[in-house]
Amino acid sequence: MGKKNRIGWKFYRGCEHMPYKLNIRIVVANCLIIFLWGSAFTGIRVGLQSYTPEHLALFRMLVGSILLIGIAIIFKMKLPEFKDIPIIFLFGFLGFTVYHLALNIGEKTVSSGIASLLVSTTPIICAFLAGWFLQEKFGISKWIGSIISFFGVALISLGTWGFGTGSGILFILIASISESFYFVFQTHYIKKYGFFAFTVYTIIAGTICMLFLLPGLVGEITNSSLESTLSVIYLGIFPTIIPYIILAYLTLRVGSSVATSSLYLTPALSFVIGWFWLGEKPTQVSLLGGLLILAGVSFIHLNLEKLQIRFNLRRRGFQK
């Protein structure tokens, strides 16, 4: 093997293996987000059997905030700078207060399927915002993958839950847009405070903004079923805390548009969990939608530039 070929082979092997080691963490992180937010859909349905949407959202946030405050005290987490408190409350308001309240209010009149479809516009909105304001690149393969995944979400929604619509559509779109702003514009503050600390700040801030809903919550907790209460506690500890922290980490590593792209898988996992937990059997149309989502997300994470490098190196004869 000539000197030129040896150099080319080393470059090829570096392209092949180094990114793989880095991406393992990202894959695991995405899997945790998908599973926890996928299970949240069924958990919310169980919680709504005893709680109003407003009190369910507040109870869920209170559980998460109390746990995070305890962790912050144990590890002596520093308080944010005074000048950043207003923006932290703004992020908490957008990412948690508006999102959870608007989504729950919307689902009073909109079927779960259409609500899931509308919320799944978040990755596309994030891509637009990140591209327009932050100049994040979202290549053609990622746009094609997003469109494929979005059609998959539509098939799952229509095949599993039907076409139900209502005046709450506007509220759900507000929820999706609000969450997208939170995901996209948090990057600067994640770099400043760290992804864990900033997520803690915003969750607590979002909970404070919801305290006006406190009257009546104690009565609902007293009169609710044990299953519903345990479901809300689960929502507060796991889907409320862990995915947001992980997503902040991913945003820091790969950008908000790519970090949120795997969220298309959440509706697919939601109906699988609902099938086993609540006996909601998916239709053939829903299964087809799940396959489209898997194909779309795979396309989003396909590194065409890396594949092109491999192809070119192989053509030039850089073989071991």
Side-chain angles (χ1 to χ4, degrees):
M1 182 183 291
K3 181 178 180 181
K4 182 178 179 181
N5 280 5
R6 286 198 298 270
I7 295 173
W9 171 249
K10 290 179 181 179
F11 176 71
Y12 168 76
R13 298 299 293 176
C15 290
E16 184 176 26
H17 292 292
M18 290 179 64
Y20 175 78
K21 295 179 181 178
L22 175 65
N23 288 338
I24 284 295
R25 294 182 180 180
I26 296 176
V27 170
V28 173
N30 274 309
C31 288
L32 282 173
I33 292 175
I34 293 163
F35 173 77
L36 290 174
W37 273 344
S39 67
F41 175 78
T42 306
I44 289 172
R45 294 197 63 182
V46 174
L48 287 173
Q49 294 173 3
S50 299
Y51 292 90
T52 63
E54 294 83 4
H55 283 151
L56 189 152
L58 175 59
F59 189 14
R60 173 180 177 174
M61 294 296 295
L62 282 172
V63 170
S65 293
I66 291 171
L67 178 61
L68 289 176
I69 289 172
I71 294 174
I73 293 173
I74 292 172
F75 290 96
K76 299 180 180 179
M77 184 181 296
K78 294 182 179 179
L79 294 174
E81 295 180 13
F82 182 78
K83 66 178 182 179
D84 291 333
I85 290 179
I87 195 68
I88 287 173
F89 267 88
L90 177 61
F91 276 113
F93 179 74
L94 291 173
F96 297 95
T97 307
V98 174
Y99 173 75
H100 287 291
L101 289 178
L103 178 61
N104 290 346
I105 292 171
E107 287 192 353
K108 288 181 178 180
T109 55
V110 176
S111 71
S112 299
I114 297 299
S116 175
L117 173 60
L118 294 171
V119 171
S120 293
T121 60
T122 297
I124 296 178
I125 297 173
C126 284
F128 274 116
L129 292 175
W132 184 266
F133 292 100
L134 304 180
Q135 285 75 52
E136 285 188 12
K137 293 183 179 180
F138 201 69
I140 185 65
S141 64
K142 294 178 173 59
W143 281 115
I144 294 174
S146 294
I147 294 172
I148 294 172
S149 296
F150 189 72
F151 276 113
V153 171
L155 286 177
I156 288 176
S157 301
L158 301 178
T160 305
W161 295 289
F163 281 93
T165 59
S167 59
I169 287 178
L170 178 61
F171 281 100
I172 297 176
L173 286 174
I174 290 173
S176 183
I177 294 171
S178 178
E179 183 180 52
S180 299
F181 272 94
Y182 171 82
F183 288 144
V184 171
F185 294 104
Q186 64 178 335
T187 306
H188 169 75
Y189 296 94
I190 293 174
K191 293 178 180 177
K192 181 175 182 178
Y193 292 107
F195 61 87
F196 180 77
F198 183 73
T199 304
V200 171
Y201 300 153
T202 53
I203 288 177
I204 294 173
T207 304
I208 292 173
C209 292
M210 296 175 67
L211 290 179
F212 70 94
L213 297 170
L214 193 58
L217 176 59
V218 175
E220 283 198 7
I221 295 175
T222 303
N223 297 322
S224 69
S225 67
L226 178 61
E227 184 182 15
S228 292
T229 298
L230 291 177
S231 178
V232 178
I233 292 173
Y234 165 78
L235 291 170
I237 295 176
F238 294 101
T240 301
I241 296 177
I242 298 175
Y244 280 97
I245 292 173
I246 295 175
L247 199 57
Y249 162 77
L250 292 177
T251 300
L252 193 61
R253 298 300 297 268
V254 299
S256 58
S257 57
V258 176
T260 57
S261 61
S262 62
L263 299 185
Y264 286 118
L265 288 170
T266 301
L269 184 61
S270 292
F271 80 75
V272 172
I273 295 175
W275 185 4
F276 286 100
W277 191 351
L278 300 178
E280 299 175 341
K281 294 183 179 181
T283 63
Q284 291 182 347
V285 174
S286 298
L287 293 175
L288 176 60
L291 292 176
L292 279 177
I293 290 175
L294 289 172
V297 172
S298 298
F299 209 82
I300 287 171
H301 292 281
L302 185 65
N303 194 328
L304 295 180
E305 182 179 352
K306 180 178 172 181
L307 291 177
Q308 184 64 39
I309 290 174
R310 292 181 180 180
F311 176 75
N312 290 338
L313 288 173
R314 287 184 183 277
R315 284 188 60 189
R316 295 172 185 174
F318 292 135
Q319 304 290 332
K320 189 172 180 179

